[in-house]
Amino acid sequence: QVQLVESGGGLVQAGGSLRLSCTTSGRTANTYTMGWFRQAPGKEREFVAGISGSGANTYYTDSVKGRFTISRDNAKNTVYLQMNSLKPEDTAVYSCAAHLPGTGTYNYWGQGTQVTVSS
C-alpha cells in the first residue's frame, strides 16, 4: 500500500507562486513514477506533471510548461510541484499520484490540496 499526503496549497494572487509537496510512504515509494493532477469544480481531472522514479525524466501538460516544475527528493520521499506565474485558471484541487511499475496507471492518490488563484 502506498500512502500520499499533499501540502502547500493555499490562496495566492495571480502572478504569484506556490510550492506543493507530496510525501510518500513505503520503502520503495521513491522509485515510483509520480504525477500531479488537478481538478476544478465541474471539470474533469487533468494531468499536470509527472516525474520518473530517478527524477531524470519529467513531463508537463502544455498549459503549465515554463511555469511549473516538478521535482523529487528521494531521500525525503517527497515530490514537489513548484508553481510560478500562477493564473486564475490554475485554481483547482491538486493531487499527487503514484504510478506503480508495470501497472500502466496511477494507482494511488493523495487527498488533494486546494490551490486558489485570485485576480
Side-chain angles (χ1 to χ4, degrees):
Q1 185 176 23
V2 177
Q3 298 180 40
L4 313 173
V5 180
E6 303 97 334
S7 62
L11 192 153
V12 65
Q13 195 170 15
S17 298
L18 284 174
R19 180 182 172 92
L20 306 183
S21 298
C22 174
T23 58
T24 65
S25 66
R27 294 179 180 178
T28 61
N30 60 8
T31 70
Y32 303 154
T33 295
M34 300 292 296
W36 285 97
F37 295 77
R38 66 187 181 188
Q39 186 170 25
K43 301 293 184 180
E44 185 177 343
R45 183 173 63 194
E46 65 173 337
F47 170 82
V48 177
I51 187 167
S52 61
S54 68
N57 302 108
T58 58
Y59 319 89
Y60 301 94
T61 191
D62 287 343
S63 63
V64 308
K65 287 181 179 178
R67 300 189 298 120
F68 291 9
T69 302
I70 188 171
S71 62
R72 67 193 302 162
D73 184 344
N74 285 343
K76 298 176 66 176
N77 293 325
T78 302
V79 179
Y80 304 96
L81 185 67
Q82 178 66 47
M83 305 185 294
N84 298 327
S85 301
L86 283 162
K87 305 174 181 179
E89 51 262 46
D90 295 319
T91 295
V93 174
Y94 284 71
S95 301
C96 64
H99 185 177
L100 272 64
T103 64
T105 64
Y106 284 90
N107 309 95
Y108 298 96
W109 298 81
Q111 297 298 315
T113 185
Q114 177 70 48
V115 172
T116 303
V117 184
S118 65
S119 299

